Amino acid sequence: MTTDDISGMGPLVARLSRGGQRLRQADRTHPWVLDTAVVIVVFLMFCLPDLLRGGVDDGDGPRRFRLAFTELPVAGILALQAGLVLPLLWRRRKPMAAFGVIASVFVLQWSLGAALRADIALFVALYSLALHGRLRQLPWACAVTAGAMVLVAVRASAAVSVWDALFFLLSTATAALALGLMVRIRRAQLAGLRERAARLETERDQRSRLATATERTRVAREMHDIVGHNLSVIITLADAGAYASDLQPARGKEALQLIGDTGRQALGELRRVLGVLRQDGAGPSRGLELSPQPGIADIEALCATVRAAGLEVVYRTSGEVDALDSGVQLTVYRIVQEAVTNTLKHADTDTQVLLAILVEDSRLTIRVQDTGPAAQPGPPNEEGHGLVGMRERAALYGGTVSAGPTDGGGWSVEAVLDLTSRGGDR
């Protein structure tokens, strides 16, 4: 067979596969059609010739073969054929019952010394039992079949050798049994593959939903950090500007300028986050200005914004903070941003904020402590989104976050990150 012949078989195999699928679907919808068709085919191929010619002993075979079997009247032949063929109607629903009835009629027929072509029904029933029945029933069916084959071989001994007949009959029964088991195993394998494919599809959908939920949480955390901080600064500046507009117009003008700068910064960060979400496969949207994620170097600018809002911020670092990777720096920036925003929300204008970032070997510590009034706690057993967000970010690097009032009446936030833990950039 050439390569062209093999490639030409592709469409034929595809058509046969589609035809087989349609037949299986039709069989699942109307199973009685196939069972009736099997009975009709067996009747036309094996029963009708016996009725027309008067059985196997039709005068065409050798004399000793004709003398070995008993001639039955047409009514007797028809009754035995009905007992052999009609049980095939329930061969799939009740395979053991169908096999039992057919085997009983088969033994009765050969006990009378009659030979019928409809005996093929016994092998069809054995095949159906191997395919659809319970496996523990097969040994009994095999034993009954072997006994019936011995009876046939003994009855046919006048025409053919007992051993030759027994070999042929047992080989046919073995082939029917093996074919049924092979089809059964193949169907079980296909069912297992379909189940595995369905399970993998379900797992894929679950992973997709989990990734979507994780991304939504990340975006919500970013939006909270951006909007929460900048709005807190804007509100504080607006209140200070309104208060100073009558007494010190220059301070009011300065507050308005700071509000504009803070608003533009917030708008730029929102465009960056939303632009990443909206970008398609061709790249970022046109005109979108992208900037790097903030890091420790941007904390000084953050402190300047907070100072402009009226708070006194003392900021210091220790260790090689600039050598940290971008993911750690973003985590540090967001934790500091959330902590000072909370201070800005709850503290007075004369509050002092002490901010320290310490790097010691594989440990990074963030301390944010203020001298203002403690933040008002939320409902029992409920934490704000800011503290939850800080803990989620710290958990990416195996860290912890603790927050609470200090002895002096202020509020303290301390976060500890493990630099040996590899978190993803967020």
Side-chain angles (χ1 to χ4, degrees):
M1 181 178 294
T2 63
T3 305
D4 294 338
D5 295 335
I6 296 176
S7 61
M9 293 177 64
L12 176 61
V13 172
R15 286 194 294 270
L16 291 176
S17 177
R18 289 192 295 269
Q21 291 178 357
R22 286 193 291 268
L23 288 177
R24 286 192 294 271
Q25 180 62 33
D27 182 49
R28 284 191 293 268
T29 307
H30 305 288
W32 57 270
V33 175
L34 178 59
D35 297 332
T36 304
V38 170
V39 171
I40 293 175
V41 170
V42 172
F43 175 79
L44 293 177
M45 293 184 61
F46 301 100
C47 297
L48 194 59
D50 286 345
L51 292 174
L52 296 177
R53 300 179 183 179
V56 175
D57 185 15
D58 55 9
D60 294 335
R63 177 179 175 79
R64 61 175 183 172
F65 187 76
R66 288 186 283 110
L67 294 177
F69 302 105
T70 303
E71 293 188 17
L72 296 176
V74 175
I77 294 176
L78 189 59
L80 290 174
Q81 287 179 344
L84 290 171
V85 176
L86 290 181
L88 294 178
L89 287 172
W90 63 83
R91 65 184 181 86
R92 293 192 293 178
R93 296 189 299 274
K94 297 181 179 179
M96 189 61 188
F99 176 82
V101 173
I102 293 174
S104 300
V105 176
F106 183 89
V107 172
L108 174 63
Q109 168 209 323
W110 282 97
S111 298
L112 297 175
L116 297 176
R117 292 178 175 88
D119 291 338
I120 192 69
L122 180 65
F123 301 112
V124 176
L126 182 62
Y127 162 81
S128 300
L129 180 61
L131 178 57
H132 303 289
R134 299 177 180 176
L135 293 179
R136 65 171 179 268
Q137 296 173 340
L138 283 182
W140 298 99
C142 292
V144 171
T145 303
M149 297 301 102
V150 171
L151 176 61
V152 174
V154 171
R155 282 292 186 177
S157 59
V160 66
S161 169
V162 173
W163 297 109
D164 291 343
L166 195 60
F167 175 78
F168 172 77
L169 294 172
L170 290 179
S171 298
T172 306
T174 302
L177 179 66
L179 181 61
L181 291 175
M182 182 187 69
V183 175
R184 183 182 188 132
I185 293 172
R186 179 59 178 169
R187 288 184 179 179
Q189 291 176 340
L190 291 177
L193 291 176
R194 285 192 292 268
E195 181 181 358
R196 183 172 181 269
R199 186 170 62 253
L200 291 176
E201 184 176 358
T202 301
E203 292 177 356
R204 182 201 63 192
D205 294 339
Q206 290 176 346
R207 286 195 299 268
S208 177
R209 288 194 294 269
L210 181 60
T212 301
T214 302
E215 184 64 15
R216 290 178 63 183
T217 302
R218 185 188 71 84
V219 172
R221 192 166 56 224
E222 288 286 335
M223 296 290 288
H224 174 269
D225 292 339
I226 295 171
V227 176
H229 169 73
N230 289 288
L231 282 181
S232 297
V233 174
I234 290 174
I235 292 172
T236 303
L237 290 173
D239 292 340
Y243 176 77
S245 60
D246 295 331
L247 301 178
Q248 294 179 325
R251 295 287 294 176
K253 181 179 180 181
E254 182 182 355
L256 291 176
Q257 291 175 345
L258 290 173
I259 288 175
D261 294 340
T262 305
R264 280 188 290 273
Q265 178 184 354
L267 184 60
E269 293 186 7
L270 285 176
R271 283 177 176 173
R272 175 179 55 79
V273 174
L274 297 178
V276 172
L277 294 177
R278 291 173 179 171
Q279 67 179 339
D280 53 18
S285 303
R286 291 182 184 177
L288 178 64
E289 295 182 0
L290 299 179
S291 60
Q293 291 276 40
I296 293 179
D298 299 292
I299 294 180
E300 186 60 48
L302 176 66
C303 294
T305 304
V306 176
R307 291 188 187 102
L311 299 184
E312 180 183 353
V313 182
V314 178
Y315 170 47
R316 68 184 183 90
T317 61
S318 176
E320 298 180 357
V321 293
D322 295 331
L324 300 175
D325 62 64
S326 59
V328 176
Q329 293 200 31
L330 175 61
T331 299
V332 173
Y333 181 88
R334 292 305 187 194
I335 292 176
V336 171
Q337 183 184 48
E338 182 61 34
V340 298
T341 299
N342 290 336
T343 300
L344 194 60
K345 289 179 181 178
H346 302 285
D348 298 329
T349 55
D350 58 348
T351 299
Q352 184 182 57
V353 180
L354 303 178
L355 170 60
I357 301 176
L358 311 175
V359 177
E360 300 173 346
D361 297 332
S362 61
R363 177 187 177 96
L364 186 148
T365 304
I366 306 169
R367 293 193 186 96
V368 181
Q369 182 176 348
D370 62 66
T371 60
Q376 295 297 323
N381 300 325
E382 184 175 333
E383 295 178 340
H385 295 290
L387 184 56
V388 173
M390 285 191 288
R391 285 176 174 166
E392 289 178 350
R393 290 185 180 277
L396 295 175
Y397 294 91
T400 59
V401 175
S402 58
T406 61
D407 295 337
W411 189 263
S412 175
V413 175
E414 180 172 329
V416 179
L417 306 183
D418 182 7
L419 300 180
T420 60
S421 177
R422 292 294 181 183
D425 289 348
R426 291 292 188 267

